Amino acid sequence: MERPSVASALEHQVKTRPLPRHVGIIMDGNGRWAEVRGLPRLEGHREGSASVREVTRTARRVGISALTLYAFSSQNWARPAEEVAGLMDLLREFLESEYSEILDNGIRLNAIGEVDKMPRYVREPLERLRRDSAHNQGMVLTLALSYGGREEILHAMQRVARAVASGELSPDRLGEKELESHLWTNGLPPLDLVVRTSGEFRVSNFLLWQMAYAELCFADVLWPDFRSEAFLRCLAQYQQRERRFGLTSAQIQREDTQRAKA
């Protein structure tokens, strides 16, 4: 009998344990992947698209509710114009080539960020796929486009300020839930796990509010090489951690015992 692959064994393992509901990924290392191979940086981004496909398929298969990918940051606009144009072309190709698979697998496509800054030839297939997948009940795949965590919080505070100025909201009634309702991620599950590839140890302005209690996993793998097995290892690492949310281990154990008896 043929032995199962490492990835298959890992997938079976993570399916038997509690999964994060919402995973965010900082996809880093495309440029370095290309440079060490003597290739143009855009080839690294192209190979990175294959990782997006494989990780998305794996996340859907194991039962992740929401996957958010940091596809293009607010600061990425400052990159060389040729690279930005190439990234926009790759994004359009991805949206067009994955249209059928996203719909056929019940995935709902979402986008956060200053999406109106994207060129029309990207916005049109993006809006088409968002519209056509809006009623899908499977995993939510969110693309963070022209996105920044500080920009998101600033945008939310501007909306809150307008609500206060108009009398719709009293400053005394402003709490976390009211602020979160103005974030671009409103409606998504709480963020449980953030993965960053390429061996860098920073969060790069990604989901700053949302990751307050998220687990962090830093993978020493460049994004184009981050495939199913690497992703599953991050999920397995998450499953080995105790999430306390400011409580003690003893308190968590008591709560678990009480839930089991209920």
Side-chain angles (χ1 to χ4, degrees):
M1 180 182 295
E2 183 178 349
R3 295 181 62 185
S5 67
V6 173
S8 296
L10 271 172
E11 185 168 326
H12 174 74
Q13 173 187 311
V14 301
K15 283 180 175 180
T16 65
R17 299 173 180 175
L19 286 161
R21 292 160 295 176
H22 184 181
V23 179
I25 303 182
I26 303 170
M27 306 180 294
D28 189 33
N30 290 340
R32 275 172 286 166
W33 184 92
E35 287 168 0
V36 298
R37 290 165 174 75
L39 300 171
R41 287 177 58 86
L42 192 58
E43 289 306 308
H45 295 303
R46 189 177 300 280
E47 188 65 22
S49 295
S51 292
V52 169
R53 293 184 181 94
E54 185 164 326
V55 168
T56 299
R57 290 168 181 167
T58 302
R60 180 191 59 78
R61 253 191 344 265
V62 300
I64 302 295
S65 298
L67 176 67
T68 298
L69 303 178
Y70 203 5
F72 192 84
S73 78
S74 301
Q75 289 68 44
N76 286 157
W77 291 113
R79 289 189 175 185
E82 182 179 355
E83 183 173 347
V84 171
L87 284 168
M88 294 299 107
D89 287 339
L90 285 175
L91 179 56
R92 181 193 60 196
E93 289 176 16
F94 174 83
L95 293 167
E96 292 176 345
S97 65
E98 300 304 302
Y99 179 88
S100 296
E101 180 163 350
I102 286 174
L103 293 184
D104 291 345
N105 287 282
I107 296 172
R108 177 164 67 87
L109 185 75
N110 183 37
I112 58 174
E114 297 172 300
V115 180
D116 58 334
K117 290 186 177 181
M118 309 301 286
R120 179 179 294 180
Y121 65 85
V122 172
R123 292 200 313 271
E124 288 180 348
L126 175 65
E127 290 307 316
R128 175 176 175 242
L129 192 42
R130 289 176 72 177
R131 181 185 66 247
D132 293 351
S133 67
H135 298 294
N136 286 352
Q137 300 298 311
M139 185 181 76
V140 180
L141 173 61
T142 300
L143 302 180
L145 300 170
S146 192
Y147 173 86
R150 289 180 174 179
E151 289 80 355
E152 178 181 27
I153 294 171
L154 178 59
H155 177 266
M157 291 308 301
Q158 289 171 339
R159 294 186 64 185
V160 167
R162 286 194 290 269
V164 170
S166 68
E168 297 175 28
L169 177 66
S170 166
D172 295 334
R173 296 187 60 188
L174 177 61
E176 289 187 12
K177 289 184 178 179
E178 286 73 25
L179 180 57
E180 287 174 349
S181 71
H182 293 293
L183 294 175
W184 289 322
T185 53
N186 183 41
L188 291 176
L191 185 66
D192 291 321
L193 172 65
V194 174
V195 176
R196 188 195 177 107
T197 63
S198 85
E200 301 288 351
F201 295 89
R202 56 180 180 270
V203 297
S204 297
N205 201 21
F206 181 58
L207 299 177
L208 298 180
W209 174 280
Q210 296 85 345
M211 71 165 61
Y213 283 101
E215 297 293 325
L216 306 180
C217 178
F218 296 98
D220 193 18
V221 180
L222 299 176
W223 177 248
D225 293 326
F226 189 89
R227 300 299 171 94
S228 183
E229 183 178 333
F231 179 57
L232 290 165
R233 289 190 184 282
C234 288
L235 296 181
Q237 186 181 130
Y238 167 89
Q239 292 170 328
Q240 294 171 357
R241 299 182 186 178
E242 180 183 63
R243 308 194 71 205
R244 295 193 296 273
F245 299 97
L247 302 179
T248 67
S249 295
Q251 286 175 302
I252 295 296
Q253 290 170 7
R254 282 197 298 271
E255 289 185 358
D256 289 342
T257 300
Q258 290 169 357
R259 279 195 295 268
K261 292 179 178 179

